[in-house]
Structures are given as C-alpha cells and as structure tokens.
Amino acid sequence: MPTGDPPKSGKPRRLLWISGLALLLVVMAGALLVVRPAPVRALLGEPTTTASPTASPPPPEPVLGDLASASPPPTAAGLAAALDALAGDPRVGQLSASIVDVVSGESLYDRSGQVPKVPASVNKLVTAAAVLATRGPAHRLATRAVKGPEPGEVVLVGAGDPTLAVDGADTYRGAARLDKLAAQVKRALGATRPTRVLVDPSVFTGPALGPGWDSDIAVYGYAAPITGLMVNGGRVRPKQQAPRSRQPDLAAGQVFAKLLGVPPSAVTVGRAGQGATELGAVDSLSVLRLVEIMLRDSDNVVAESLARQVALARGAPASFEGAAQATTEVLEELGLPTGQVRLFDGSGLSRNNRLTTALLAAVLTFAAGDDHAKLSGLFAGLPVAGYSGTLHDRFAGHSGTAAGLVRAKTGTLNGVSALAGVVVDADGRLLSFSLIANGVPGGPDAAEAVLDRIAAALAGCGCR
C-alpha cells in the first residue's frame, strides 16, 4: 500500500494571500473590542497608534509578501537539535511528528510519521480537504418545505445543514432561518391553513451516534445525534453547548410547526412525496464558511455533516460508514498517502480512527499549492495561536513568541493531544507540521504545552 512522501506543490502564493487576508478580516471584525497580541500586529504590519473608532477601515489587501524561497529550508540536523528533546518529553507519551517544507514538498523531520495514531480533532483536516474537493467552497445546502399528501400538511425536508437557525438569535451567525421558510410557506399556501408538519431527515442514513465515540459525548454536548435535519447543531438552547436534543429532527419540526401555528402534537417523522410541490427553501452558509466554523471552533456536528456531504457528492450512503469510505477515496484520488488511513467518522471523536502525521502534513502542503485552488479554503478556518478559535488561550509562557504566527488545528481526547498546521520560520520558509501524541498521561494541559513549544520552536528558528 502506498505511503510515499508528501506530494510536491507549486509555489504557494495563494495560501499567503488567503491566510493573510483571512487573518486581516478576523482582526478587522474585532475592531477595537479586543487587544491584539504584538506578534499579530507585527504580522499584519499595523501601526502602533490606535485608529479612530469612527474611521472606516481600509479595504483588505494581501498583508504577507511572497515566500522567502531563496532562503534555504531548515535542515534535518537543525530540526533534530531543536526538537528531539521536546519530542521525547514524557508528557506527550508516544509522539509522532512530521514537518514538511511547503515550497519543495520535502520532508524535513519525521518521528514515527508513518505510524497510525488516534488523531482526535485534527481528523477534521481531512474532512475539510475532502468536502472542499468534492462540493467546492461555494456549495450551499437547501432546506425545503413541500406540500404533504393531505391539504394543510407541510413536509420539512432536511438537506443536512446542521447550522439551521430559528429566528436569528441562534448559534451560527448568518445561517438559514426557519422563520423565513415559514413565511414562504404561508405565502405559498395562501388561504389554506397549515394543519400538520412532517419531518423528513432521510438525506442521512444509518446510526445517529458514531462508532468508537465515548459514552459521554452526547451527554456533555460534544456532539448531538447526527440527523439530516436539526437546528443550532442540535442544541436545546442555542448559546449553550449542552444539553443536545435526543431527537434533533423532531425538535426542528416542532420549532417549525410553532412558526406555522401548528401544535407540537401534530408533528411526526415522515417522507416527502416524489415530485411534491415546493412551498419554500432556504440556503445554508457556503461550504467554505461551514469548513471555517468546523476548524475554528472544532465543531463536531458540523464536521459529521460535512463528511456526509462528501458521501452524497459521490453517490454513496450518507452514513458514518459511507462518509468515511468516501473521504478516504477522495484523499487517495488526490494522490495523498492513505495507506495507513482508517476512518470511522468525520470529526475525530471516534477512538477507532487512525491517521498518520505524514498524511496530515501532506494534506496541508497539498492544500497550500497552486494545483487545487478549492482546497486553499482550508486555511481560512485554522485557529491563530494565542488569538482565535481553539488556540485563543494557547501559546503562553515559553511559547508566547509564536502567538499570532502559528495557524493550526487542535485535537484532544482523553489520552490524546494533537496539533497540525502551518508556520513561517525565522527565515521566512513556510512549513507544514503535524504532531499527534497518544498515550498521554494525566490531563491534556501538560501535553498541549509541549506541543505548543514544538510549534514555537519552528517559528523561532531557521534550524540549520
């Protein structure tokens, strides 16, 4: 089975433009409400004076120059001298690590990089790559309402949009809204009064909870049962992670029924008839925005829904099994090293998943190249060290100098800690890196601190 070196890539100017622009937009959105770390200000080339709160921000433009490809990349010996002691720290248990020079695609550092490990949430990187490759960044999911078999019956047909909102005061900003769909339905029905709501979540199939998931995942709100129709990621209260509904599809139908003036007792699960008349439709956020949410916040429900979009795009069953198989096939067709891949879900919650750090570094390197423009959207969602997403409170102490300079996806399960992303080193070389620690003793904090120091070491040295 092929394992191979990471694929070569063209000069990744597009990554620098997109990642720099995305970071600029994040900062602009925060305006004066947050204090930016000094490395972030330096990275963005911002002035040290405070802008007037009434001044209009300048139009976004690329903020990073071209790669310093004329500078030599780090050497294997230099990286070993900088990283081996950290990689051998007992706080990270059994650590696998892969570091790749993005311009050349050359593997610079490999520590058990071909050994399959439980990846935790860095698994979402392969989900992101697969859904961007198949659906494309602009694709949207249309939640529809159609006529039921009897007068006054309305069928709410899910499209697998986990971010579907109720009325604007919801979890995901800018999401499609049921109140707007209900207004369309009322207009389409005219004088006919809605009397019953059927809920059709059949776009997804199979079990609602993933194989290898810990028993407390749904209890503590790390995910909800995965269905083809839900609002607010299955949350009972939109601004709180837990609890999650045990039947998200039925709960969505009851919310929709209330908007139509139909009692909850008149809501049931059913199927839309073939060729049923459409009464209205609302479109989801784009796949690019959904990928950004998935990576920035490590949203497990969004991840599982996006993995099923990969299956649907390939005509496979939209189940855990179908999505895992489809994702693996897409990675293989992209030319990525899939020999050790064993996927069971799209989020990384499953302890049955197995990925290698070599594959994850290859995914990042591949997405940074010029040959597959759709994949570059992966970088917009990567959290910024010490600043955003799941890295907003990371990279303190000895790792603080890397704040704002590392963009990476985190991963955490009991006994598992992971970090995978990109960093520009002191000589201006863009590196992709992947770190997965299994058998981590104790809690995750100590292991995370070591992984952060490794990434910070990459940012702080030329390592030659």
Side-chain angles (χ1 to χ4, degrees):
M1 293 181 288
T3 53
D5 290 330
K8 306 292 185 186
S9 66
K11 199 172 187 180
R13 294 183 178 91
R14 184 181 58 254
L15 167 61
L16 292 179
W17 193 93
I18 290 175
S19 60
L21 177 57
L23 183 54
L24 177 62
L25 292 175
V26 168
V27 173
M28 286 170 59
L32 300 177
L33 300 179
V34 294
V35 177
R36 306 181 186 109
V40 175
R41 294 197 299 271
L43 181 64
L44 297 175
E46 293 182 334
T48 56
T49 57
T50 302
S52 167
T54 59
S56 298
E61 58 185 30
V63 294
L64 295 178
D66 203 356
L67 286 179
S69 54
S71 300
T75 65
L79 286 171
L83 303 181
D84 277 353
L86 290 169
D89 192 308
R91 291 175 291 177
V92 289
Q94 296 86 48
L95 178 71
S96 290
S98 297
I99 300 169
V100 174
D101 177 52
V102 169
V103 170
S104 67
E106 178 187 359
S107 175
L108 303 176
Y109 185 88
D110 183 284
R111 181 186 178 95
S112 303
Q114 302 291 347
V115 176
K117 294 290 184 74
V118 180
S121 278
V122 292
N123 195 108
K124 294 180 175 72
L125 290 171
V126 299
T127 300
V131 74
L132 287 168
T134 52
R135 285 302 199 195
H139 184 77
R140 297 175 186 267
L141 315 176
T143 301
R144 301 183 302 124
V146 302
K147 283 186 176 181
E150 301 295 332
E153 288 185 343
V154 178
V155 185
L156 181 60
V157 184
D161 175 13
T163 66
L164 189 64
V166 178
D167 56 10
D170 297 275
T171 305
Y172 305 98
R173 181 179 298 179
R177 289 167 45 173
L178 284 181
D179 60 343
K180 294 185 177 181
L181 182 57
Q184 294 178 41
V185 169
K186 290 176 181 178
R187 286 195 299 270
L189 289 177
T192 303
R193 185 174 64 86
T195 58
R196 188 171 181 234
V197 171
L198 302 178
V199 174
D200 184 351
S202 61
V203 64
F204 291 170
T205 62
L209 298 177
W213 283 14
D214 291 348
S215 60
D216 62 354
I217 282 174
V219 173
Y220 290 103
Y222 298 116
I226 306 302
T227 65
L229 178 66
M230 63 174 67
V231 294
N232 297 316
R235 291 169 178 80
V236 174
R237 290 179 286 275
K239 302 301 183 183
Q240 297 181 16
Q241 176 171 290
R244 306 278 179 125
S245 173
R246 295 184 178 182
Q247 291 184 280
D249 47 7
L250 194 61
Q254 290 170 343
V255 168
F256 188 58
K258 183 178 180 180
L259 293 168
L260 292 175
V262 175
S265 59
V267 179
T268 186
V269 176
R271 294 290 289 270
Q274 187 173 4
T277 301
E278 185 173 291
L279 300 172
V282 288
D283 288 337
S284 73
L285 298 164
S286 68
V287 161
L288 179 61
R289 281 286 293 118
L290 295 175
V291 166
E292 181 182 354
I293 290 167
M294 171 183 69
L295 297 178
R296 182 194 65 208
D297 302 327
S298 203
D299 193 305
N300 296 308
V301 173
V302 173
E304 298 302 343
S305 300
L306 288 177
R308 281 163 171 74
Q309 291 301 319
V310 180
L312 291 169
R314 296 179 64 86
S319 61
F320 280 103
E321 183 178 2
Q325 181 63 34
T327 298
T328 304
E329 290 172 357
V330 170
L331 297 177
E332 184 173 1
E333 290 168 6
L334 289 172
L336 293 162
T338 59
Q340 303 295 329
V341 170
R342 299 292 182 272
L343 290 179
F344 288 83
D345 69 10
S347 64
L349 286 173
S350 177
R351 292 184 178 274
N352 299 338
N353 291 327
R354 295 293 184 273
L355 295 178
T356 65
T357 57
L359 168 66
L360 291 170
V363 167
L364 291 158
T365 302
F366 192 78
D370 290 331
D371 295 333
H372 294 273
K374 292 190 293 187
L375 300 191
S376 62
L378 179 152
F379 294 98
L382 288 181
V384 179
Y387 190 69
S388 67
T390 56
L391 285 182
H392 79 279
D393 59 351
R394 298 268 295 263
F395 286 81
H398 294 293
S399 304
T401 55
L405 302 178
V406 174
R407 301 196 68 148
K409 180 71 194 78
T410 58
T412 306
L413 290 170
N414 288 334
V416 179
S417 190
L419 189 68
V422 291
V423 60
V424 178
D425 75 4
D427 291 331
R429 296 292 295 205
L430 183 67
L431 309 177
S432 65
F433 68 92
S434 175
L435 313 167
I436 301 179
N438 283 186
V440 171
D445 290 351
E448 288 176 355
V450 177
L451 299 185
D452 292 354
R453 291 189 69 181
I454 292 174
L458 290 175
C461 81
C463 295
R464 291 194 297 273

